[in-house]
Amino acid sequence: MAQNDRSSRRALMDLPHEILNAITGELRIHDMARLAATNKTIKAYIEPQLYCKMYTNIGTPQDTAGLVGLLKRRPEVVPMIKALVLDEYHPRYTRQLLAIAMPNLWCLLIQHEGQPVNVVSEEEKRTMNRNLVYQPSLKNCRFGRYVFWIESTNRVPYTLSKEDAALFKQPAIDRLRLSNVDFLALEGVEETYLTHEGLENIKIEGSNYSPDTLKRLFFPSNALKDVDIHHWTEPPFSPNLYLPILSSAAETLTILRLEWRYTRLNHAPGYDGLDLTAFTALRLLRIQPGVLFGPGGEGVTSYTTPSHPNLPNLIRSRLPPGLKVLLLESITMPAPAPGLKQLLFPMDIELIACMIEQKAQVAPKLKFIFLYYLEEMTEPEELYELADKHDMRLCGLYKSEISPISILRQLIQNVGLICGDLGTMLSDGAAKIWRPMSMFRVMAN
């Protein structure tokens, strides 16, 4: 019997790695751990997969403190870790974790659900910060509240202190996401703390900040390609103050998403829109028309002016010259009666029609216009027909179709081959297709 068991183990390990990966990829974590315990050969093969991505579970022995204890007991596991997903931000144990040199750590997600843990004084943070070490492979960092928790509560942001800035003192970071965080305190930290010269992708959602704190994040980068600033209510300052900050990436920025869903621009009298014509690399823009072209008002001519006397020139003076994809937010007015769907604002119909009919003059490279959200609006059939007539693609998106992959699916359905070779497109982005940059880079080519 023992001989048969040894033969079975040898037979398993004699399988090609592709087949072994297919088998182990279907196993649950606990099953992988049991398989690793069967013998040393299988353990050596399984453990790098088992510990590649580590999760914590708040309120259990597997929380952040438990993870720190595991890595101290079993230091051989440390080089296997490529991703850490922490479901809590504990100021003490998170610092103890980041005081361990993890040479292959690529991704760090700290997504706290519920109320933050404030059990550490600023003095203790300052002392522990001295032990933090450089993580040379850390590229992807997210800090903040759990996204579903953000959208289902009053969204009070977690306030970072000046001493929390040390958590971001990782120069190799090229993707940064801050969710429901007040990071005003970062404005006053030393210049050596925020030196992300290779930062390519930054997403800020539901957070509080000042123009100076944004500058601290944006200005060191010379490679910024993808910016997503998301607010469920008014942004913390006037939209015209964003332009000088974004302009530092005018030659590199490919994707800009200003998702200000319920913005009414009440605190920006005289605001007349964003001039993005200097953003020569920009290919995809998601924005509310009032933010881009100005909301109008007393003494201000805007696209909202009925029968605008020179709408084509206004569009041309706002859109980036190389824009290919435009996603429009907040373009519907309230439903005329309960149970009925919303209609597009008349000025938005006129705006979209102008961009379609006079595409060659106002936006010669524009190929796609997406409208949010299809389940809430009466479909603009007349605009669909107009787009078909002028060889444009006008598409409505459902709330469930706002992810990059869903948009890519829409593009494939409506256009077929975006590039000349779909196989080339998919092979280029398949390994990282979940990353917004990968999909949008295909569209930008």
Side-chain angles (χ1 to χ4, degrees), residues 92-148:
R92 178 180 298 115
Y93 298 124
T94 301
R95 282 169 170 79
Q96 290 182 5
L97 185 62
L98 295 179
I100 300 172
M102 292 173 271
N104 297 310
L105 179 64
W106 174 80
C107 177
L108 173 64
L109 306 184
I110 304 174
Q111 44 190 30
H112 195 97
E113 183 176 3
Q115 297 303 319
V117 180
N118 291 311
V119 295
V120 177
S121 68
E122 293 302 293
E123 181 60 35
E124 185 178 351
K125 287 182 182 179
R126 190 175 304 114
T127 301
M128 297 183 72
N129 285 345
R130 300 190 187 107
N131 298 323
L132 298 179
V133 298
Y134 172 52
Q135 309 291 349
S137 301
L138 183 57
K139 298 289 187 180
N140 182 8
C141 179
R142 174 181 174 178
F143 183 95
R145 297 288 182 85
Y146 190 55
V147 65
F148 297 112

Tab-separated table of all heavy atoms in Angstrom, residues 92-148:
chain	number	residue	atom	x	y	z
A	92	ARG	N	-1.126	49.791	13.988
A	92	ARG	CA	0.049	49.125	14.564
A	92	ARG	C	0.461	47.914	13.725
A	92	ARG	O	1.616	47.793	13.296
A	92	ARG	CB	-0.234	48.696	16.005
A	92	ARG	CG	0.952	47.955	16.645
A	92	ARG	CD	0.657	47.520	18.079
A	92	ARG	NE	0.415	48.679	18.941
A	92	ARG	CZ	-0.740	48.945	19.536
A	92	ARG	NH1	-1.777	48.117	19.366
A	92	ARG	NH2	-0.887	50.012	20.292
A	93	TYR	N	-0.492	47.008	13.473
A	93	TYR	CA	-0.125	45.758	12.821
A	93	TYR	C	0.165	45.946	11.334
A	93	TYR	O	0.963	45.197	10.754
A	93	TYR	CB	-1.221	44.713	13.040
A	93	TYR	CG	-1.413	44.394	14.505
A	93	TYR	CD1	-2.654	44.534	15.121
A	93	TYR	CD2	-0.332	43.978	15.281
A	93	TYR	CE1	-2.822	44.268	16.467
A	93	TYR	CE2	-0.482	43.707	16.628
A	93	TYR	CZ	-1.729	43.853	17.220
A	93	TYR	OH	-1.881	43.592	18.559
A	94	THR	N	-0.452	46.930	10.696
A	94	THR	CA	-0.111	47.219	9.302
A	94	THR	C	1.340	47.681	9.210
A	94	THR	O	2.080	47.284	8.304
A	94	THR	CB	-1.046	48.282	8.721
A	94	THR	OG1	-2.405	47.824	8.795
A	94	THR	CG2	-0.709	48.563	7.260
A	95	ARG	N	1.776	48.487	10.160
A	95	ARG	CA	3.181	48.928	10.168
A	95	ARG	C	4.127	47.776	10.463
A	95	ARG	O	5.206	47.683	9.879
A	95	ARG	CB	3.356	50.071	11.179
A	95	ARG	CG	2.868	51.408	10.648
A	95	ARG	CD	2.800	52.465	11.735
A	95	ARG	NE	2.562	53.780	11.175
A	95	ARG	CZ	1.354	54.214	10.775
A	95	ARG	NH1	0.303	53.404	10.886
A	95	ARG	NH2	1.210	55.415	10.252
A	96	GLN	N	3.732	46.892	11.365
A	96	GLN	CA	4.571	45.723	11.633
A	96	GLN	C	4.704	44.853	10.380
A	96	GLN	O	5.778	44.303	10.106
A	96	GLN	CB	3.984	44.907	12.789
A	96	GLN	CG	4.093	45.591	14.147
A	96	GLN	CD	3.542	44.724	15.275
A	96	GLN	OE1	3.157	43.574	15.064
A	96	GLN	NE2	3.481	45.282	16.474
A	97	LEU	N	3.626	44.758	9.625
A	97	LEU	CA	3.651	43.972	8.397
A	97	LEU	C	4.592	44.600	7.364
A	97	LEU	O	5.400	43.907	6.733
A	97	LEU	CB	2.232	43.865	7.835
A	97	LEU	CG	2.012	42.987	6.607
A	97	LEU	CD1	2.373	41.534	6.915
A	97	LEU	CD2	0.569	43.085	6.132
A	98	LEU	N	4.498	45.930	7.205
A	98	LEU	CA	5.320	46.614	6.210
A	98	LEU	C	6.752	46.830	6.686
A	98	LEU	O	7.571	47.382	5.941
A	98	LEU	CB	4.669	47.949	5.833
A	98	LEU	CG	3.317	47.826	5.124
A	98	LEU	CD1	2.743	49.193	4.807
A	98	LEU	CD2	3.457	47.002	3.846
A	99	ALA	N	7.057	46.412	7.912
A	99	ALA	CA	8.444	46.414	8.379
A	99	ALA	C	9.167	45.135	7.971
A	99	ALA	O	10.361	44.989	8.225
A	99	ALA	CB	8.483	46.575	9.896
A	100	ILE	N	8.429	44.205	7.333
A	100	ILE	CA	9.021	42.960	6.830
A	100	ILE	C	9.346	43.151	5.354
A	100	ILE	O	8.478	43.527	4.560
A	100	ILE	CB	8.038	41.785	7.003
A	100	ILE	CG1	7.690	41.592	8.487
A	100	ILE	CG2	8.609	40.504	6.423
A	100	ILE	CD1	6.577	40.578	8.728
A	101	ALA	N	10.574	42.912	4.971
A	101	ALA	CA	10.966	43.048	3.567
A	101	ALA	C	10.379	41.891	2.767
A	101	ALA	O	10.711	40.729	3.003
A	101	ALA	CB	12.478	43.075	3.451
A	102	MET	N	9.498	42.221	1.817
A	102	MET	CA	8.857	41.212	0.968
A	102	MET	C	9.304	41.483	-0.464
A	102	MET	O	8.711	42.321	-1.158
A	102	MET	CB	7.338	41.297	1.122
A	102	MET	CG	6.848	40.872	2.498
A	102	MET	SD	5.081	41.132	2.810
A	102	MET	CE	5.113	42.823	3.453
A	103	PRO	N	10.328	40.809	-0.933
A	103	PRO	CA	10.959	41.169	-2.210
A	103	PRO	C	10.069	41.029	-3.423
A	103	PRO	O	10.313	41.686	-4.446
A	103	PRO	CB	12.161	40.213	-2.285
A	103	PRO	CG	11.796	39.062	-1.405
A	103	PRO	CD	10.985	39.653	-0.294
A	104	ASN	N	9.039	40.190	-3.349
A	104	ASN	CA	8.180	39.956	-4.512
A	104	ASN	C	6.779	40.527	-4.348
A	104	ASN	O	5.906	40.264	-5.183
A	104	ASN	CB	8.098	38.456	-4.800
A	104	ASN	CG	9.447	37.880	-5.164
A	104	ASN	OD1	10.143	38.418	-6.022
A	104	ASN	ND2	9.842	36.801	-4.498
A	105	LEU	N	6.541	41.311	-3.288
A	105	LEU	CA	5.220	41.904	-3.076
A	105	LEU	C	4.936	42.905	-4.183
A	105	LEU	O	5.618	43.922	-4.319
A	105	LEU	CB	5.164	42.593	-1.716
A	105	LEU	CG	3.833	43.288	-1.378
A	105	LEU	CD1	2.701	42.262	-1.283
A	105	LEU	CD2	3.943	44.094	-0.101
A	106	TRP	N	3.908	42.622	-4.972
A	106	TRP	CA	3.535	43.479	-6.108
A	106	TRP	C	2.307	44.335	-5.811
A	106	TRP	O	2.192	45.457	-6.284
A	106	TRP	CB	3.274	42.607	-7.338
A	106	TRP	CG	2.756	43.363	-8.515
A	106	TRP	CD1	3.493	44.117	-9.393
A	106	TRP	CD2	1.393	43.471	-8.947
A	106	TRP	NE1	2.672	44.669	-10.334
A	106	TRP	CE2	1.373	44.294	-10.085
A	106	TRP	CE3	0.185	42.949	-8.471
A	106	TRP	CZ2	0.198	44.609	-10.760
A	106	TRP	CZ3	-0.982	43.263	-9.139
A	106	TRP	CH2	-0.977	44.082	-10.271
A	107	CYS	N	1.395	43.806	-5.006
A	107	CYS	CA	0.095	44.457	-4.809
A	107	CYS	C	-0.247	44.501	-3.324
A	107	CYS	O	-0.154	43.500	-2.627
A	107	CYS	CB	-0.981	43.681	-5.579
A	107	CYS	SG	-2.657	44.313	-5.370
A	108	LEU	N	-0.653	45.682	-2.851
A	108	LEU	CA	-1.082	45.865	-1.458
A	108	LEU	C	-2.430	46.564	-1.455
A	108	LEU	O	-2.548	47.712	-1.895
A	108	LEU	CB	-0.063	46.704	-0.688
A	108	LEU	CG	-0.465	47.113	0.743
A	108	LEU	CD1	-0.607	45.876	1.625
A	108	LEU	CD2	0.546	48.084	1.343
A	109	LEU	N	-3.465	45.858	-0.990
A	109	LEU	CA	-4.816	46.423	-0.897
A	109	LEU	C	-5.218	46.481	0.573
A	109	LEU	O	-5.290	45.451	1.243
A	109	LEU	CB	-5.826	45.563	-1.667
A	109	LEU	CG	-5.524	45.265	-3.141
A	109	LEU	CD1	-6.670	44.487	-3.760
A	109	LEU	CD2	-5.269	46.539	-3.919
A	110	ILE	N	-5.474	47.684	1.055
A	110	ILE	CA	-5.957	47.877	2.427
A	110	ILE	C	-7.350	48.476	2.302
A	110	ILE	O	-7.511	49.650	1.964
A	110	ILE	CB	-5.031	48.813	3.219
A	110	ILE	CG1	-3.602	48.281	3.222
A	110	ILE	CG2	-5.533	48.969	4.655
A	110	ILE	CD1	-2.594	49.212	3.870
A	111	GLN	N	-8.376	47.673	2.524
A	111	GLN	CA	-9.748	48.122	2.294
A	111	GLN	C	-10.582	47.858	3.553
A	111	GLN	O	-11.156	46.809	3.733
A	111	GLN	CB	-10.350	47.426	1.068
A	111	GLN	CG	-10.084	45.934	0.986
A	111	GLN	CD	-10.483	45.345	-0.350
A	111	GLN	OE1	-10.443	45.994	-1.382
A	111	GLN	NE2	-10.901	44.081	-0.325
A	112	HIS	N	-10.608	48.851	4.418
A	112	HIS	CA	-11.251	48.710	5.718
A	112	HIS	C	-12.765	48.841	5.581
A	112	HIS	O	-13.265	49.774	4.950
A	112	HIS	CB	-10.727	49.786	6.671
A	112	HIS	CG	-11.045	49.500	8.112
A	112	HIS	ND1	-10.134	48.901	8.958
A	112	HIS	CD2	-12.155	49.708	8.848
A	112	HIS	CE1	-10.687	48.778	10.158
A	112	HIS	NE2	-11.910	49.255	10.110
A	113	GLU	N	-13.477	47.914	6.186
A	113	GLU	CA	-14.942	47.957	6.201
A	113	GLU	C	-15.413	48.343	7.600
A	113	GLU	O	-14.963	47.779	8.585
A	113	GLU	CB	-15.527	46.606	5.808
A	113	GLU	CG	-17.055	46.604	5.742
A	113	GLU	CD	-17.605	45.277	5.246
A	113	GLU	OE1	-16.815	44.360	5.013
A	113	GLU	OE2	-18.828	45.183	5.104
A	114	GLY	N	-16.309	49.309	7.672
A	114	GLY	CA	-16.785	49.759	8.976
A	114	GLY	C	-15.936	50.884	9.522
A	114	GLY	O	-15.175	51.535	8.812
A	115	GLN	N	-16.056	51.129	10.812
A	115	GLN	CA	-15.341	52.229	11.431
A	115	GLN	C	-13.854	51.902	11.579
A	115	GLN	O	-13.486	50.768	11.865
A	115	GLN	CB	-15.943	52.529	12.812
A	115	GLN	CG	-17.395	52.994	12.751
A	115	GLN	CD	-17.567	54.221	11.882
A	115	GLN	OE1	-16.759	55.137	11.921
A	115	GLN	NE2	-18.635	54.243	11.093
A	116	PRO	N	-12.977	52.899	11.364
A	116	PRO	CA	-11.536	52.646	11.456
A	116	PRO	C	-11.089	52.371	12.883
A	116	PRO	O	-11.760	52.731	13.848
A	116	PRO	CB	-10.919	53.952	10.930
A	116	PRO	CG	-11.970	54.995	11.178
A	116	PRO	CD	-13.281	54.289	11.017
A	117	VAL	N	-9.939	51.719	12.976
A	117	VAL	CA	-9.357	51.398	14.271
A	117	VAL	C	-8.352	52.492	14.626
A	117	VAL	O	-7.339	52.651	13.955
A	117	VAL	CB	-8.634	50.032	14.220
A	117	VAL	CG1	-8.021	49.707	15.582
A	117	VAL	CG2	-9.611	48.940	13.800
A	118	ASN	N	-8.640	53.272	15.652
A	118	ASN	CA	-7.730	54.331	16.089
A	118	ASN	C	-7.238	54.017	17.494
A	118	ASN	O	-7.773	54.494	18.478
A	118	ASN	CB	-8.440	55.696	16.065
A	118	ASN	CG	-8.724	56.158	14.645
A	118	ASN	OD1	-7.849	56.134	13.804
A	118	ASN	ND2	-9.953	56.574	14.386
A	119	VAL	N	-6.239	53.179	17.576
A	119	VAL	CA	-5.748	52.745	18.886
A	119	VAL	C	-4.275	53.095	19.063
A	119	VAL	O	-3.655	52.669	20.022
A	119	VAL	CB	-5.941	51.226	19.058
A	119	VAL	CG1	-7.416	50.867	19.075
A	119	VAL	CG2	-5.219	50.458	17.950
A	120	VAL	N	-3.719	53.845	18.125
A	120	VAL	CA	-2.292	54.140	18.143
A	120	VAL	C	-2.097	55.649	18.134
A	120	VAL	O	-2.687	56.357	17.324
A	120	VAL	CB	-1.592	53.512	16.921
A	120	VAL	CG1	-0.112	53.887	16.893
A	120	VAL	CG2	-1.757	51.998	16.940
A	121	SER	N	-1.272	56.130	19.041
A	121	SER	CA	-0.994	57.568	19.106
A	121	SER	C	-0.090	57.983	17.953
A	121	SER	O	0.591	57.148	17.337
A	121	SER	CB	-0.312	57.908	20.431
A	121	SER	OG	0.984	57.348	20.468
A	122	GLU	N	-0.058	59.277	17.665
A	122	GLU	CA	0.808	59.775	16.605
A	122	GLU	C	2.279	59.534	16.950
A	122	GLU	O	3.094	59.269	16.065
A	122	GLU	CB	0.546	61.268	16.374
A	122	GLU	CG	-0.839	61.570	15.802
A	122	GLU	CD	-1.087	60.854	14.483
A	122	GLU	OE1	-0.417	61.189	13.493
A	122	GLU	OE2	-1.944	59.943	14.449
A	123	GLU	N	2.608	59.606	18.217
A	123	GLU	CA	3.987	59.360	18.629
A	123	GLU	C	4.390	57.911	18.369
A	123	GLU	O	5.502	57.623	17.896
A	123	GLU	CB	4.167	59.705	20.112
A	123	GLU	CG	5.586	59.506	20.631
A	123	GLU	CD	6.596	60.358	19.893
A	123	GLU	OE1	6.260	61.497	19.502
A	123	GLU	OE2	7.735	59.866	19.706
A	124	GLU	N	3.470	56.978	18.668
A	124	GLU	CA	3.773	55.566	18.399
A	124	GLU	C	3.891	55.314	16.898
A	124	GLU	O	4.762	54.556	16.451
A	124	GLU	CB	2.702	54.665	19.005
A	124	GLU	CG	3.027	53.180	18.853
A	124	GLU	CD	1.999	52.266	19.503
A	124	GLU	OE1	1.115	52.779	20.222
A	124	GLU	OE2	2.100	51.046	19.284
A	125	LYS	N	3.017	55.944	16.110
A	125	LYS	CA	3.135	55.810	14.654
A	125	LYS	C	4.498	56.293	14.185
A	125	LYS	O	5.163	55.651	13.361
A	125	LYS	CB	2.041	56.636	13.956
A	125	LYS	CG	0.639	56.080	14.039
A	125	LYS	CD	-0.303	56.981	13.258
A	125	LYS	CE	-1.746	56.510	13.349
A	125	LYS	NZ	-2.669	57.409	12.594
A	126	ARG	N	4.932	57.445	14.713
A	126	ARG	CA	6.205	58.031	14.298
A	126	ARG	C	7.359	57.072	14.623
A	126	ARG	O	8.277	56.886	13.819
A	126	ARG	CB	6.399	59.377	15.003
A	126	ARG	CG	7.572	60.205	14.482
A	126	ARG	CD	7.621	61.572	15.150
A	126	ARG	NE	6.372	62.292	14.974
A	126	ARG	CZ	5.528	62.608	15.962
A	126	ARG	NH1	5.817	62.281	17.210
A	126	ARG	NH2	4.409	63.259	15.711
A	127	THR	N	7.290	56.457	15.802
A	127	THR	CA	8.333	55.507	16.199
A	127	THR	C	8.332	54.278	15.296
A	127	THR	O	9.383	53.811	14.834
A	127	THR	CB	8.125	55.076	17.664
A	127	THR	OG1	8.174	56.237	18.505
A	127	THR	CG2	9.191	54.094	18.096
A	128	MET	N	7.140	53.745	15.005
A	128	MET	CA	7.041	52.542	14.171
A	128	MET	C	7.398	52.831	12.722
A	128	MET	O	7.867	51.940	11.996
A	128	MET	CB	5.637	51.956	14.274
A	128	MET	CG	5.256	51.486	15.669
A	128	MET	SD	3.625	50.732	15.722
A	128	MET	CE	3.945	49.202	14.873
A	129	ASN	N	7.175	54.070	12.277
A	129	ASN	CA	7.508	54.418	10.892
A	129	ASN	C	8.996	54.246	10.599
A	129	ASN	O	9.392	54.016	9.452
A	129	ASN	CB	7.100	55.865	10.592
A	129	ASN	CG	5.589	56.014	10.426
A	129	ASN	OD1	4.870	55.030	10.263
A	129	ASN	ND2	5.117	57.241	10.459
A	130	ARG	N	9.823	54.347	11.617
A	130	ARG	CA	11.263	54.194	11.411
A	130	ARG	C	11.626	52.772	10.992
A	130	ARG	O	12.702	52.545	10.433
A	130	ARG	CB	12.018	54.564	12.693
A	130	ARG	CG	11.793	56.007	13.151
A	130	ARG	CD	12.740	56.387	14.282
A	130	ARG	NE	12.421	57.691	14.818
A	130	ARG	CZ	11.840	57.897	15.998
A	130	ARG	NH1	11.542	56.864	16.761
A	130	ARG	NH2	11.579	59.117	16.417
A	131	ASN	N	10.742	51.826	11.277
A	131	ASN	CA	11.030	50.423	10.950
A	131	ASN	C	10.482	50.010	9.589
A	131	ASN	O	10.747	48.888	9.135
A	131	ASN	CB	10.435	49.503	12.026
A	131	ASN	CG	11.042	49.751	13.394
A	131	ASN	OD1	12.235	50.016	13.511
A	131	ASN	ND2	10.216	49.672	14.428
A	132	LEU	N	9.693	50.879	8.946
A	132	LEU	CA	9.139	50.535	7.637
A	132	LEU	C	10.268	50.380	6.628
A	132	LEU	O	11.243	51.130	6.644
A	132	LEU	CB	8.167	51.617	7.169
A	132	LEU	CG	6.931	51.838	8.041
A	132	LEU	CD1	6.074	52.955	7.474
A	132	LEU	CD2	6.114	50.566	8.183
A	133	VAL	N	10.118	49.397	5.722
A	133	VAL	CA	11.180	49.127	4.760
A	133	VAL	C	10.672	49.324	3.338
A	133	VAL	O	9.464	49.274	3.070
A	133	VAL	CB	11.737	47.688	4.920
A	133	VAL	CG1	12.351	47.511	6.294
A	133	VAL	CG2	10.648	46.640	4.664
A	134	TYR	N	11.590	49.537	2.444
A	134	TYR	CA	11.286	49.695	1.024
A	134	TYR	C	10.894	48.343	0.438
A	134	TYR	O	11.590	47.346	0.611
A	134	TYR	CB	12.518	50.258	0.321
A	134	TYR	CG	12.418	50.302	-1.179
A	134	TYR	CD1	11.326	50.892	-1.817
A	134	TYR	CD2	13.426	49.754	-1.969
A	134	TYR	CE1	11.244	50.934	-3.194
A	134	TYR	CE2	13.356	49.801	-3.354
A	134	TYR	CZ	12.263	50.387	-3.964
A	134	TYR	OH	12.184	50.425	-5.323
A	135	GLN	N	9.755	48.317	-0.251
A	135	GLN	CA	9.294	47.102	-0.925
A	135	GLN	C	9.570	47.288	-2.418
A	135	GLN	O	8.822	47.961	-3.125
A	135	GLN	CB	7.792	46.873	-0.669
A	135	GLN	CG	7.375	46.915	0.789
A	135	GLN	CD	7.907	45.740	1.603
A	135	GLN	OE1	8.428	44.770	1.051
A	135	GLN	NE2	7.797	45.813	2.933
A	136	PRO	N	10.637	46.716	-2.938
A	136	PRO	CA	11.110	47.068	-4.286
A	136	PRO	C	10.174	46.704	-5.423
A	136	PRO	O	10.229	47.313	-6.494
A	136	PRO	CB	12.433	46.294	-4.401
A	136	PRO	CG	12.303	45.160	-3.437
A	136	PRO	CD	11.492	45.694	-2.301
A	137	SER	N	9.306	45.707	-5.218
A	137	SER	CA	8.419	45.261	-6.301
A	137	SER	C	7.006	45.813	-6.178
A	137	SER	O	6.154	45.501	-7.020
A	137	SER	CB	8.368	43.727	-6.328
A	137	SER	OG	9.644	43.179	-6.523
A	138	LEU	N	6.727	46.624	-5.150
A	138	LEU	CA	5.364	47.091	-4.899
A	138	LEU	C	4.953	48.112	-5.959
A	138	LEU	O	5.458	49.233	-5.999
A	138	LEU	CB	5.256	47.706	-3.511
A	138	LEU	CG	3.860	48.173	-3.083
A	138	LEU	CD1	2.856	47.026	-3.154
A	138	LEU	CD2	3.888	48.774	-1.681
A	139	LYS	N	4.024	47.717	-6.817
A	139	LYS	CA	3.558	48.565	-7.912
A	139	LYS	C	2.132	49.068	-7.712
A	139	LYS	O	1.792	50.172	-8.112
A	139	LYS	CB	3.606	47.777	-9.236
A	139	LYS	CG	4.992	47.317	-9.648
A	139	LYS	CD	5.833	48.486	-10.094
A	139	LYS	CE	7.157	48.029	-10.665
A	139	LYS	NZ	7.985	49.165	-11.106
A	140	ASN	N	1.299	48.237	-7.106
A	140	ASN	CA	-0.133	48.515	-7.036
A	140	ASN	C	-0.528	48.695	-5.572
A	140	ASN	O	-0.373	47.776	-4.772
A	140	ASN	CB	-0.905	47.350	-7.667
A	140	ASN	CG	-2.400	47.576	-7.680
A	140	ASN	OD1	-2.884	48.665	-7.355
A	140	ASN	ND2	-3.153	46.558	-8.042
A	141	CYS	N	-1.055	49.875	-5.218
A	141	CYS	CA	-1.416	50.154	-3.828
A	141	CYS	C	-2.808	50.759	-3.767
A	141	CYS	O	-3.121	51.704	-4.494
A	141	CYS	CB	-0.403	51.106	-3.196
A	141	CYS	SG	-0.765	51.533	-1.475
A	142	ARG	N	-3.635	50.202	-2.872
A	142	ARG	CA	-4.957	50.778	-2.630
A	142	ARG	C	-5.155	50.946	-1.129
A	142	ARG	O	-4.854	50.042	-0.356
A	142	ARG	CB	-6.061	49.878	-3.184
A	142	ARG	CG	-7.438	50.408	-2.786
A	142	ARG	CD	-8.575	49.563	-3.276
A	142	ARG	NE	-9.818	50.064	-2.743
A	142	ARG	CZ	-11.015	49.567	-3.017
A	142	ARG	NH1	-11.115	48.550	-3.841
A	142	ARG	NH2	-12.089	50.083	-2.485
A	143	PHE	N	-5.696	52.090	-0.769
A	143	PHE	CA	-5.955	52.360	0.639
A	143	PHE	C	-7.331	53.016	0.757
A	143	PHE	O	-7.650	53.934	0.002
A	143	PHE	CB	-4.896	53.295	1.222
A	143	PHE	CG	-5.069	53.559	2.703
A	143	PHE	CD1	-4.376	52.816	3.634
A	143	PHE	CD2	-5.943	54.541	3.154
A	143	PHE	CE1	-4.539	53.042	4.995
A	143	PHE	CE2	-6.111	54.773	4.503
A	143	PHE	CZ	-5.408	54.026	5.428
A	144	GLY	N	-8.137	52.559	1.725
A	144	GLY	CA	-9.413	53.230	1.955
A	144	GLY	C	-10.495	52.308	2.439
A	144	GLY	O	-10.261	51.167	2.834
A	145	ARG	N	-11.717	52.824	2.397
A	145	ARG	CA	-12.874	52.055	2.818
A	145	ARG	C	-13.257	51.060	1.741
A	145	ARG	O	-13.065	51.299	0.552
A	145	ARG	CB	-14.063	52.997	3.089
A	145	ARG	CG	-13.827	53.991	4.221
A	145	ARG	CD	-13.835	53.290	5.570
A	145	ARG	NE	-13.666	54.227	6.662
A	145	ARG	CZ	-14.663	54.903	7.225
A	145	ARG	NH1	-15.894	54.771	6.792
A	145	ARG	NH2	-14.413	55.715	8.233
A	146	TYR	N	-13.843	49.968	2.175
A	146	TYR	CA	-14.350	48.958	1.249
A	146	TYR	C	-15.397	49.591	0.351
A	146	TYR	O	-16.297	50.291	0.811
A	146	TYR	CB	-14.937	47.794	2.041
A	146	TYR	CG	-15.286	46.576	1.224
A	146	TYR	CD1	-14.337	45.972	0.422
A	146	TYR	CD2	-16.550	46.021	1.278
A	146	TYR	CE1	-14.640	44.842	-0.313
A	146	TYR	CE2	-16.878	44.886	0.551
A	146	TYR	CZ	-15.912	44.305	-0.248
A	146	TYR	OH	-16.219	43.188	-0.976
A	147	VAL	N	-15.302	49.356	-0.975
A	147	VAL	CA	-16.096	50.129	-1.933
A	147	VAL	C	-17.599	49.967	-1.719
A	147	VAL	O	-18.353	50.933	-1.816
A	147	VAL	CB	-15.697	49.761	-3.381
A	147	VAL	CG1	-16.025	48.323	-3.710
A	147	VAL	CG2	-16.359	50.700	-4.366
A	148	PHE	N	-18.097	48.760	-1.396
A	148	PHE	CA	-19.533	48.587	-1.201
A	148	PHE	C	-19.984	49.271	0.087
A	148	PHE	O	-21.097	49.765	0.187
A	148	PHE	CB	-19.896	47.098	-1.188
A	148	PHE	CG	-19.600	46.421	-2.480
A	148	PHE	CD1	-18.602	45.476	-2.578
A	148	PHE	CD2	-20.307	46.754	-3.619
A	148	PHE	CE1	-18.316	44.859	-3.779
A	148	PHE	CE2	-20.033	46.146	-4.835
A	148	PHE	CZ	-19.029	45.198	-4.912
